[in-house]
Amino acid sequence: DAGITQSPRHKVTETGTPVTLRCHQTENHRYMYWYRQDPGHGLRLIHYSYGVKDTDKGEVSDGYSVSRSKTEDFLLTLESATSSQTSVYFCAIRGGESYEQYFGPGTRLTVT
Amino acid sequence: QQQVKQSPQSLIVQKGGISIINCAYENTAFDYFPWYQQFPGKGPALLIAIRPDVSEKKEGRFTISFNKSAKQFSLHIMDSQPGDSATYFCAASIMGGSYIPTFGRGTSLIVHP
């Protein structure tokens, strides 16, 4: 494993509540990514970060926000969770010299 | 717009057989093509990757074949084993910058003993 942890690993929440998922890395990598994985859709990028306080949107960013105040932590927030955000969320990291992304173990989020 | 099309969605192979997964892309600027393997309950992990300056890359039982003119690339798993049962994702990207790969939708491979 590439030193990536995600918390929580599982979460059930109700529609309309805020949810924050955390990605923590010990590799000091510059790039961090949040993906969601849904059956039939593969991996879709939500947001990514290319440095502390530097973030940008991916293809499915609506309803999500991110923050990166430290190199090691990348937070994904659902301001008001909806059932369509039920998914498995993966964080990934990448060092600047390599094109290999290392993925975390995932967080399974269920919005009821 | 689906920039990377992956097929088949699912594949069942007997032990010892050859598993073949195909991907096609549209953006001719893509210049890096990785394949990821994902076991249930785990995150994807890089399996093998190729750049368009070569037509084939082999690592053990895994081979990527690349056809630049057809804008297609494929993963071949020789002598498939039950332990190869997983979901496989192809991806395509432009090297450099923030490196944002576009993933195919995945292929669920089952290798029967």
Side-chain angles (χ1 to χ4, degrees), chain A residues 67-102:
Chain A
S67 66
R68 192 172 179 195
S69 58
K70 299 184 290 184
T71 297
E72 58 266 36
D73 289 326
F74 193 31
L75 304 180
L76 177 70
T77 297
L78 291 65
E79 300 291 347
S80 177
T82 67
S83 58
S84 65
Q85 293 176 311
T86 292
S87 186
V88 180
Y89 292 84
F90 287 100
C91 174
I93 64 175
R94 179 176 78 85
E97 305 302 320
S98 166
Y99 294 98
E100 178 173 358
Q101 286 182 312
Y102 297 94

PDB file of all heavy atoms in Angstrom, chain A residues 67-102:
ATOM      1  N   SER A  67     -11.053  20.614   0.127  1.00  0.00           N
ATOM      2  CA  SER A  67     -10.088  21.519   0.747  1.00  0.00           C
ATOM      3  C   SER A  67      -8.797  20.773   1.004  1.00  0.00           C
ATOM      4  O   SER A  67      -8.799  19.571   1.286  1.00  0.00           O
ATOM      5  CB  SER A  67     -10.637  22.093   2.055  1.00  0.00           C
ATOM      6  OG  SER A  67     -10.795  21.082   3.024  1.00  0.00           O
ATOM      7  N   ARG A  68      -7.705  21.504   0.862  1.00  0.00           N
ATOM      8  CA  ARG A  68      -6.388  20.933   1.138  1.00  0.00           C
ATOM      9  C   ARG A  68      -5.545  22.004   1.835  1.00  0.00           C
ATOM     10  O   ARG A  68      -4.948  22.854   1.197  1.00  0.00           O
ATOM     11  CB  ARG A  68      -5.719  20.462  -0.149  1.00  0.00           C
ATOM     12  CG  ARG A  68      -4.480  19.611   0.117  1.00  0.00           C
ATOM     13  CD  ARG A  68      -3.963  19.013  -1.146  1.00  0.00           C
ATOM     14  NE  ARG A  68      -2.775  18.214  -0.917  1.00  0.00           N
ATOM     15  CZ  ARG A  68      -1.966  17.828  -1.892  1.00  0.00           C
ATOM     16  NH1 ARG A  68      -2.220  18.178  -3.142  1.00  0.00           N
ATOM     17  NH2 ARG A  68      -0.904  17.100  -1.613  1.00  0.00           N
ATOM     18  N   SER A  69      -5.521  21.926   3.133  1.00  0.00           N
ATOM     19  CA  SER A  69      -4.780  22.899   3.921  1.00  0.00           C
ATOM     20  C   SER A  69      -3.387  22.389   4.301  1.00  0.00           C
ATOM     21  O   SER A  69      -2.528  23.169   4.719  1.00  0.00           O
ATOM     22  CB  SER A  69      -5.560  23.250   5.194  1.00  0.00           C
ATOM     23  OG  SER A  69      -5.795  22.079   5.960  1.00  0.00           O
ATOM     24  N   LYS A  70      -3.185  21.081   4.143  1.00  0.00           N
ATOM     25  CA  LYS A  70      -1.884  20.473   4.394  1.00  0.00           C
ATOM     26  C   LYS A  70      -1.577  19.501   3.272  1.00  0.00           C
ATOM     27  O   LYS A  70      -2.505  18.942   2.669  1.00  0.00           O
ATOM     28  CB  LYS A  70      -1.881  19.714   5.728  1.00  0.00           C
ATOM     29  CG  LYS A  70      -2.147  20.570   6.943  1.00  0.00           C
ATOM     30  CD  LYS A  70      -2.028  19.746   8.219  1.00  0.00           C
ATOM     31  CE  LYS A  70      -3.166  18.761   8.343  1.00  0.00           C
ATOM     32  NZ  LYS A  70      -3.117  18.026   9.637  1.00  0.00           N
ATOM     33  N   THR A  71      -0.308  19.294   2.985  1.00  0.00           N
ATOM     34  CA  THR A  71       0.070  18.367   1.915  1.00  0.00           C
ATOM     35  C   THR A  71      -0.554  16.995   2.118  1.00  0.00           C
ATOM     36  O   THR A  71      -0.986  16.356   1.159  1.00  0.00           O
ATOM     37  CB  THR A  71       1.599  18.220   1.863  1.00  0.00           C
ATOM     38  OG1 THR A  71       2.166  19.479   1.551  1.00  0.00           O
ATOM     39  CG2 THR A  71       2.017  17.206   0.799  1.00  0.00           C
ATOM     40  N   GLU A  72      -0.614  16.532   3.338  1.00  0.00           N
ATOM     41  CA  GLU A  72      -1.017  15.156   3.593  1.00  0.00           C
ATOM     42  C   GLU A  72      -2.516  14.915   3.619  1.00  0.00           C
ATOM     43  O   GLU A  72      -2.953  13.775   3.564  1.00  0.00           O
ATOM     44  CB  GLU A  72      -0.416  14.662   4.912  1.00  0.00           C
ATOM     45  CG  GLU A  72      -0.780  15.491   6.127  1.00  0.00           C
ATOM     46  CD  GLU A  72       0.256  16.542   6.445  1.00  0.00           C
ATOM     47  OE1 GLU A  72       0.832  17.112   5.492  1.00  0.00           O
ATOM     48  OE2 GLU A  72       0.473  16.816   7.642  1.00  0.00           O
ATOM     49  N   ASP A  73      -3.330  15.958   3.682  1.00  0.00           N
ATOM     50  CA  ASP A  73      -4.767  15.758   3.832  1.00  0.00           C
ATOM     51  C   ASP A  73      -5.563  16.430   2.722  1.00  0.00           C
ATOM     52  O   ASP A  73      -5.321  17.594   2.376  1.00  0.00           O
ATOM     53  CB  ASP A  73      -5.260  16.313   5.178  1.00  0.00           C
ATOM     54  CG  ASP A  73      -4.811  15.479   6.351  1.00  0.00           C
ATOM     55  OD1 ASP A  73      -4.724  14.254   6.201  1.00  0.00           O
ATOM     56  OD2 ASP A  73      -4.548  16.058   7.418  1.00  0.00           O
ATOM     57  N   PHE A  74      -6.531  15.678   2.194  1.00  0.00           N
ATOM     58  CA  PHE A  74      -7.422  16.184   1.135  1.00  0.00           C
ATOM     59  C   PHE A  74      -8.830  15.794   1.554  1.00  0.00           C
ATOM     60  O   PHE A  74      -9.144  14.612   1.665  1.00  0.00           O
ATOM     61  CB  PHE A  74      -7.023  15.560  -0.200  1.00  0.00           C
ATOM     62  CG  PHE A  74      -7.636  16.195  -1.412  1.00  0.00           C
ATOM     63  CD1 PHE A  74      -7.953  17.540  -1.464  1.00  0.00           C
ATOM     64  CD2 PHE A  74      -7.870  15.429  -2.550  1.00  0.00           C
ATOM     65  CE1 PHE A  74      -8.491  18.118  -2.598  1.00  0.00           C
ATOM     66  CE2 PHE A  74      -8.401  15.998  -3.702  1.00  0.00           C
ATOM     67  CZ  PHE A  74      -8.718  17.341  -3.718  1.00  0.00           C
ATOM     68  N   LEU A  75      -9.647  16.788   1.809  1.00  0.00           N
ATOM     69  CA  LEU A  75     -10.991  16.548   2.318  1.00  0.00           C
ATOM     70  C   LEU A  75     -12.033  16.743   1.215  1.00  0.00           C
ATOM     71  O   LEU A  75     -11.947  17.695   0.433  1.00  0.00           O
ATOM     72  CB  LEU A  75     -11.312  17.506   3.469  1.00  0.00           C
ATOM     73  CG  LEU A  75     -10.360  17.494   4.658  1.00  0.00           C
ATOM     74  CD1 LEU A  75     -10.815  18.492   5.713  1.00  0.00           C
ATOM     75  CD2 LEU A  75     -10.238  16.110   5.262  1.00  0.00           C
ATOM     76  N   LEU A  76     -12.990  15.842   1.181  1.00  0.00           N
ATOM     77  CA  LEU A  76     -14.113  15.943   0.248  1.00  0.00           C
ATOM     78  C   LEU A  76     -15.380  16.161   1.072  1.00  0.00           C
ATOM     79  O   LEU A  76     -15.670  15.373   1.970  1.00  0.00           O
ATOM     80  CB  LEU A  76     -14.251  14.657  -0.571  1.00  0.00           C
ATOM     81  CG  LEU A  76     -15.430  14.589  -1.537  1.00  0.00           C
ATOM     82  CD1 LEU A  76     -15.229  15.548  -2.710  1.00  0.00           C
ATOM     83  CD2 LEU A  76     -15.618  13.155  -2.049  1.00  0.00           C
ATOM     84  N   THR A  77     -16.118  17.217   0.746  1.00  0.00           N
ATOM     85  CA  THR A  77     -17.326  17.527   1.493  1.00  0.00           C
ATOM     86  C   THR A  77     -18.542  17.516   0.591  1.00  0.00           C
ATOM     87  O   THR A  77     -18.520  18.091  -0.506  1.00  0.00           O
ATOM     88  CB  THR A  77     -17.215  18.912   2.168  1.00  0.00           C
ATOM     89  OG1 THR A  77     -16.148  18.882   3.114  1.00  0.00           O
ATOM     90  CG2 THR A  77     -18.510  19.268   2.899  1.00  0.00           C
ATOM     91  N   LEU A  78     -19.562  16.821   1.055  1.00  0.00           N
ATOM     92  CA  LEU A  78     -20.879  16.868   0.437  1.00  0.00           C
ATOM     93  C   LEU A  78     -21.685  17.810   1.327  1.00  0.00           C
ATOM     94  O   LEU A  78     -21.989  17.488   2.477  1.00  0.00           O
ATOM     95  CB  LEU A  78     -21.526  15.495   0.406  1.00  0.00           C
ATOM     96  CG  LEU A  78     -20.936  14.428  -0.524  1.00  0.00           C
ATOM     97  CD1 LEU A  78     -19.534  14.021  -0.126  1.00  0.00           C
ATOM     98  CD2 LEU A  78     -21.844  13.214  -0.576  1.00  0.00           C
ATOM     99  N   GLU A  79     -21.998  18.985   0.819  1.00  0.00           N
ATOM    100  CA  GLU A  79     -22.629  20.005   1.648  1.00  0.00           C
ATOM    101  C   GLU A  79     -24.010  19.576   2.120  1.00  0.00           C
ATOM    102  O   GLU A  79     -24.410  19.835   3.236  1.00  0.00           O
ATOM    103  CB  GLU A  79     -22.717  21.316   0.878  1.00  0.00           C
ATOM    104  CG  GLU A  79     -21.380  21.884   0.426  1.00  0.00           C
ATOM    105  CD  GLU A  79     -20.506  22.382   1.571  1.00  0.00           C
ATOM    106  OE1 GLU A  79     -21.031  22.523   2.705  1.00  0.00           O
ATOM    107  OE2 GLU A  79     -19.309  22.620   1.360  1.00  0.00           O
ATOM    108  N   SER A  80     -24.732  18.920   1.233  1.00  0.00           N
ATOM    109  CA  SER A  80     -26.079  18.441   1.543  1.00  0.00           C
ATOM    110  C   SER A  80     -26.283  17.161   0.745  1.00  0.00           C
ATOM    111  O   SER A  80     -26.623  17.204  -0.434  1.00  0.00           O
ATOM    112  CB  SER A  80     -27.120  19.492   1.156  1.00  0.00           C
ATOM    113  OG  SER A  80     -28.435  19.023   1.393  1.00  0.00           O
ATOM    114  N   ALA A  81     -26.024  16.037   1.404  1.00  0.00           N
ATOM    115  CA  ALA A  81     -25.985  14.761   0.693  1.00  0.00           C
ATOM    116  C   ALA A  81     -27.319  14.415   0.029  1.00  0.00           C
ATOM    117  O   ALA A  81     -28.401  14.662   0.589  1.00  0.00           O
ATOM    118  CB  ALA A  81     -25.593  13.651   1.658  1.00  0.00           C
ATOM    119  N   THR A  82     -27.219  13.843  -1.158  1.00  0.00           N
ATOM    120  CA  THR A  82     -28.401  13.360  -1.878  1.00  0.00           C
ATOM    121  C   THR A  82     -28.218  11.873  -2.185  1.00  0.00           C
ATOM    122  O   THR A  82     -27.082  11.357  -2.181  1.00  0.00           O
ATOM    123  CB  THR A  82     -28.609  14.116  -3.194  1.00  0.00           C
ATOM    124  OG1 THR A  82     -27.539  13.789  -4.086  1.00  0.00           O
ATOM    125  CG2 THR A  82     -28.636  15.625  -2.977  1.00  0.00           C
ATOM    126  N   SER A  83     -29.317  11.205  -2.485  1.00  0.00           N
ATOM    127  CA  SER A  83     -29.253   9.759  -2.745  1.00  0.00           C
ATOM    128  C   SER A  83     -28.376   9.461  -3.960  1.00  0.00           C
ATOM    129  O   SER A  83     -27.771   8.386  -4.042  1.00  0.00           O
ATOM    130  CB  SER A  83     -30.654   9.195  -2.937  1.00  0.00           C
ATOM    131  OG  SER A  83     -31.307   9.850  -4.004  1.00  0.00           O
ATOM    132  N   SER A  84     -28.290  10.403  -4.894  1.00  0.00           N
ATOM    133  CA  SER A  84     -27.454  10.186  -6.090  1.00  0.00           C
ATOM    134  C   SER A  84     -25.958  10.192  -5.756  1.00  0.00           C
ATOM    135  O   SER A  84     -25.136   9.825  -6.607  1.00  0.00           O
ATOM    136  CB  SER A  84     -27.749  11.252  -7.143  1.00  0.00           C
ATOM    137  OG  SER A  84     -27.366  12.535  -6.680  1.00  0.00           O
ATOM    138  N   GLN A  85     -25.627  10.588  -4.548  1.00  0.00           N
ATOM    139  CA  GLN A  85     -24.237  10.586  -4.127  1.00  0.00           C
ATOM    140  C   GLN A  85     -23.855   9.309  -3.374  1.00  0.00           C
ATOM    141  O   GLN A  85     -22.722   9.173  -2.917  1.00  0.00           O
ATOM    142  CB  GLN A  85     -23.939  11.830  -3.281  1.00  0.00           C
ATOM    143  CG  GLN A  85     -24.034  13.120  -4.090  1.00  0.00           C
ATOM    144  CD  GLN A  85     -23.849  14.363  -3.253  1.00  0.00           C
ATOM    145  OE1 GLN A  85     -24.468  14.529  -2.198  1.00  0.00           O
ATOM    146  NE2 GLN A  85     -23.011  15.270  -3.728  1.00  0.00           N
ATOM    147  N   THR A  86     -24.786   8.381  -3.301  1.00  0.00           N
ATOM    148  CA  THR A  86     -24.450   7.052  -2.804  1.00  0.00           C
ATOM    149  C   THR A  86     -23.459   6.435  -3.769  1.00  0.00           C
ATOM    150  O   THR A  86     -23.732   6.311  -4.964  1.00  0.00           O
ATOM    151  CB  THR A  86     -25.715   6.179  -2.705  1.00  0.00           C
ATOM    152  OG1 THR A  86     -26.553   6.688  -1.669  1.00  0.00           O
ATOM    153  CG2 THR A  86     -25.348   4.729  -2.411  1.00  0.00           C
ATOM    154  N   SER A  87     -22.300   6.045  -3.269  1.00  0.00           N
ATOM    155  CA  SER A  87     -21.240   5.594  -4.151  1.00  0.00           C
ATOM    156  C   SER A  87     -20.065   5.094  -3.311  1.00  0.00           C
ATOM    157  O   SER A  87     -20.086   5.153  -2.082  1.00  0.00           O
ATOM    158  CB  SER A  87     -20.766   6.764  -5.040  1.00  0.00           C
ATOM    159  OG  SER A  87     -19.839   6.329  -6.010  1.00  0.00           O
ATOM    160  N   VAL A  88     -19.064   4.598  -3.996  1.00  0.00           N
ATOM    161  CA  VAL A  88     -17.782   4.316  -3.355  1.00  0.00           C
ATOM    162  C   VAL A  88     -16.815   5.401  -3.794  1.00  0.00           C
ATOM    163  O   VAL A  88     -16.662   5.656  -5.000  1.00  0.00           O
ATOM    164  CB  VAL A  88     -17.244   2.930  -3.734  1.00  0.00           C
ATOM    165  CG1 VAL A  88     -15.904   2.688  -3.041  1.00  0.00           C
ATOM    166  CG2 VAL A  88     -18.244   1.845  -3.353  1.00  0.00           C
ATOM    167  N   TYR A  89     -16.191   6.034  -2.829  1.00  0.00           N
ATOM    168  CA  TYR A  89     -15.293   7.146  -3.096  1.00  0.00           C
ATOM    169  C   TYR A  89     -13.850   6.723  -2.880  1.00  0.00           C
ATOM    170  O   TYR A  89     -13.487   6.159  -1.847  1.00  0.00           O
ATOM    171  CB  TYR A  89     -15.639   8.324  -2.180  1.00  0.00           C
ATOM    172  CG  TYR A  89     -16.971   8.943  -2.516  1.00  0.00           C
ATOM    173  CD1 TYR A  89     -18.155   8.415  -2.006  1.00  0.00           C
ATOM    174  CD2 TYR A  89     -17.059  10.033  -3.385  1.00  0.00           C
ATOM    175  CE1 TYR A  89     -19.389   8.964  -2.327  1.00  0.00           C
ATOM    176  CE2 TYR A  89     -18.292  10.583  -3.710  1.00  0.00           C
ATOM    177  CZ  TYR A  89     -19.445  10.048  -3.184  1.00  0.00           C
ATOM    178  OH  TYR A  89     -20.659  10.593  -3.526  1.00  0.00           O
ATOM    179  N   PHE A  90     -13.037   7.007  -3.892  1.00  0.00           N
ATOM    180  CA  PHE A  90     -11.622   6.678  -3.813  1.00  0.00           C
ATOM    181  C   PHE A  90     -10.782   7.937  -3.884  1.00  0.00           C
ATOM    182  O   PHE A  90     -11.030   8.829  -4.701  1.00  0.00           O
ATOM    183  CB  PHE A  90     -11.202   5.751  -4.952  1.00  0.00           C
ATOM    184  CG  PHE A  90     -11.690   4.346  -4.802  1.00  0.00           C
ATOM    185  CD1 PHE A  90     -12.808   3.900  -5.491  1.00  0.00           C
ATOM    186  CD2 PHE A  90     -11.024   3.462  -3.969  1.00  0.00           C
ATOM    187  CE1 PHE A  90     -13.262   2.600  -5.351  1.00  0.00           C
ATOM    188  CE2 PHE A  90     -11.468   2.160  -3.823  1.00  0.00           C
ATOM    189  CZ  PHE A  90     -12.588   1.734  -4.513  1.00  0.00           C
ATOM    190  N   CYS A  91      -9.779   7.962  -3.041  1.00  0.00           N
ATOM    191  CA  CYS A  91      -8.759   8.986  -3.101  1.00  0.00           C
ATOM    192  C   CYS A  91      -7.551   8.382  -3.800  1.00  0.00           C
ATOM    193  O   CYS A  91      -7.288   7.184  -3.687  1.00  0.00           O
ATOM    194  CB  CYS A  91      -8.384   9.413  -1.687  1.00  0.00           C
ATOM    195  SG  CYS A  91      -7.010  10.565  -1.580  1.00  0.00           S
ATOM    196  N   ALA A  92      -6.834   9.196  -4.553  1.00  0.00           N
ATOM    197  CA  ALA A  92      -5.608   8.746  -5.193  1.00  0.00           C
ATOM    198  C   ALA A  92      -4.543   9.820  -5.040  1.00  0.00           C
ATOM    199  O   ALA A  92      -4.856  11.008  -4.880  1.00  0.00           O
ATOM    200  CB  ALA A  92      -5.851   8.437  -6.675  1.00  0.00           C
ATOM    201  N   ILE A  93      -3.299   9.392  -5.072  1.00  0.00           N
ATOM    202  CA  ILE A  93      -2.189  10.323  -4.982  1.00  0.00           C
ATOM    203  C   ILE A  93      -1.220  10.063  -6.124  1.00  0.00           C
ATOM    204  O   ILE A  93      -1.212   8.971  -6.718  1.00  0.00           O
ATOM    205  CB  ILE A  93      -1.445  10.215  -3.627  1.00  0.00           C
ATOM    206  CG1 ILE A  93      -0.797   8.840  -3.469  1.00  0.00           C
ATOM    207  CG2 ILE A  93      -2.388  10.519  -2.476  1.00  0.00           C
ATOM    208  CD1 ILE A  93       0.061   8.709  -2.213  1.00  0.00           C
ATOM    209  N   ARG A  94      -0.426  11.045  -6.418  1.00  0.00           N
ATOM    210  CA  ARG A  94       0.594  10.889  -7.459  1.00  0.00           C
ATOM    211  C   ARG A  94       1.759  11.830  -7.156  1.00  0.00           C
ATOM    212  O   ARG A  94       1.539  13.000  -6.842  1.00  0.00           O
ATOM    213  CB  ARG A  94       0.015  11.212  -8.833  1.00  0.00           C
ATOM    214  CG  ARG A  94       1.029  11.104  -9.956  1.00  0.00           C
ATOM    215  CD  ARG A  94       0.353  11.337 -11.299  1.00  0.00           C
ATOM    216  NE  ARG A  94       0.111  12.752 -11.552  1.00  0.00           N
ATOM    217  CZ  ARG A  94       0.999  13.591 -12.072  1.00  0.00           C
ATOM    218  NH1 ARG A  94       2.216  13.158 -12.363  1.00  0.00           N
ATOM    219  NH2 ARG A  94       0.689  14.850 -12.296  1.00  0.00           N
ATOM    220  N   GLY A  95       2.948  11.267  -7.287  1.00  0.00           N
ATOM    221  CA  GLY A  95       4.131  12.100  -7.147  1.00  0.00           C
ATOM    222  C   GLY A  95       4.367  12.881  -8.418  1.00  0.00           C
ATOM    223  O   GLY A  95       3.896  12.509  -9.487  1.00  0.00           O
ATOM    224  N   GLY A  96       5.097  13.943  -8.353  1.00  0.00           N
ATOM    225  CA  GLY A  96       5.279  14.810  -9.506  1.00  0.00           C
ATOM    226  C   GLY A  96       6.056  14.191 -10.643  1.00  0.00           C
ATOM    227  O   GLY A  96       5.877  14.558 -11.800  1.00  0.00           O
ATOM    228  N   GLU A  97       6.937  13.225 -10.325  1.00  0.00           N
ATOM    229  CA  GLU A  97       7.801  12.655 -11.360  1.00  0.00           C
ATOM    230  C   GLU A  97       7.203  11.409 -12.006  1.00  0.00           C
ATOM    231  O   GLU A  97       7.724  10.912 -12.981  1.00  0.00           O
ATOM    232  CB  GLU A  97       9.159  12.303 -10.743  1.00  0.00           C
ATOM    233  CG  GLU A  97       9.834  13.481 -10.044  1.00  0.00           C
ATOM    234  CD  GLU A  97      10.046  14.637 -10.990  1.00  0.00           C
ATOM    235  OE1 GLU A  97      10.414  14.375 -12.154  1.00  0.00           O
ATOM    236  OE2 GLU A  97       9.836  15.801 -10.584  1.00  0.00           O
ATOM    237  N   SER A  98       6.127  10.908 -11.454  1.00  0.00           N
ATOM    238  CA  SER A  98       5.567   9.644 -11.927  1.00  0.00           C
ATOM    239  C   SER A  98       4.141   9.852 -12.408  1.00  0.00           C
ATOM    240  O   SER A  98       3.457  10.768 -11.974  1.00  0.00           O
ATOM    241  CB  SER A  98       5.578   8.617 -10.797  1.00  0.00           C
ATOM    242  OG  SER A  98       4.767   7.494 -11.111  1.00  0.00           O
ATOM    243  N   TYR A  99       3.733   8.981 -13.329  1.00  0.00           N
ATOM    244  CA  TYR A  99       2.344   9.018 -13.781  1.00  0.00           C
ATOM    245  C   TYR A  99       1.515   7.911 -13.172  1.00  0.00           C
ATOM    246  O   TYR A  99       0.397   7.661 -13.595  1.00  0.00           O
ATOM    247  CB  TYR A  99       2.290   8.988 -15.305  1.00  0.00           C
ATOM    248  CG  TYR A  99       2.872  10.238 -15.869  1.00  0.00           C
ATOM    249  CD1 TYR A  99       4.187  10.272 -16.330  1.00  0.00           C
ATOM    250  CD2 TYR A  99       2.137  11.411 -15.883  1.00  0.00           C
ATOM    251  CE1 TYR A  99       4.730  11.443 -16.806  1.00  0.00           C
ATOM    252  CE2 TYR A  99       2.675  12.589 -16.354  1.00  0.00           C
ATOM    253  CZ  TYR A  99       3.983  12.602 -16.816  1.00  0.00           C
ATOM    254  OH  TYR A  99       4.522  13.758 -17.276  1.00  0.00           O
ATOM    255  N   GLU A 100       2.052   7.243 -12.183  1.00  0.00           N
ATOM    256  CA  GLU A 100       1.291   6.194 -11.529  1.00  0.00           C
ATOM    257  C   GLU A 100       0.473   6.789 -10.406  1.00  0.00           C
ATOM    258  O   GLU A 100       1.007   7.452  -9.509  1.00  0.00           O
ATOM    259  CB  GLU A 100       2.213   5.118 -10.963  1.00  0.00           C
ATOM    260  CG  GLU A 100       1.455   4.011 -10.230  1.00  0.00           C
ATOM    261  CD  GLU A 100       2.339   2.863  -9.816  1.00  0.00           C
ATOM    262  OE1 GLU A 100       3.538   2.896 -10.136  1.00  0.00           O
ATOM    263  OE2 GLU A 100       1.816   1.932  -9.176  1.00  0.00           O
ATOM    264  N   GLN A 101      -0.824   6.543 -10.433  1.00  0.00           N
ATOM    265  CA  GLN A 101      -1.697   6.940  -9.351  1.00  0.00           C
ATOM    266  C   GLN A 101      -1.823   5.783  -8.375  1.00  0.00           C
ATOM    267  O   GLN A 101      -2.014   4.634  -8.775  1.00  0.00           O
ATOM    268  CB  GLN A 101      -3.080   7.306  -9.876  1.00  0.00           C
ATOM    269  CG  GLN A 101      -3.159   8.640 -10.588  1.00  0.00           C
ATOM    270  CD  GLN A 101      -4.571   8.944 -11.044  1.00  0.00           C
ATOM    271  OE1 GLN A 101      -5.232   8.108 -11.646  1.00  0.00           O
ATOM    272  NE2 GLN A 101      -5.054  10.145 -10.763  1.00  0.00           N
ATOM    273  N   TYR A 102      -1.720   6.100  -7.091  1.00  0.00           N
ATOM    274  CA  TYR A 102      -1.924   5.107  -6.043  1.00  0.00           C
ATOM    275  C   TYR A 102      -3.260   5.414  -5.386  1.00  0.00           C
ATOM    276  O   TYR A 102      -3.505   6.540  -4.964  1.00  0.00           O
ATOM    277  CB  TYR A 102      -0.812   5.182  -5.001  1.00  0.00           C
ATOM    278  CG  TYR A 102       0.553   4.857  -5.538  1.00  0.00           C
ATOM    279  CD1 TYR A 102       1.404   5.859  -5.981  1.00  0.00           C
ATOM    280  CD2 TYR A 102       0.988   3.544  -5.609  1.00  0.00           C
ATOM    281  CE1 TYR A 102       2.655   5.577  -6.470  1.00  0.00           C
ATOM    282  CE2 TYR A 102       2.250   3.243  -6.096  1.00  0.00           C
ATOM    283  CZ  TYR A 102       3.081   4.263  -6.526  1.00  0.00           C
ATOM    284  OH  TYR A 102       4.309   3.965  -7.015  1.00  0.00           O
TER     285      TYR A 102
END
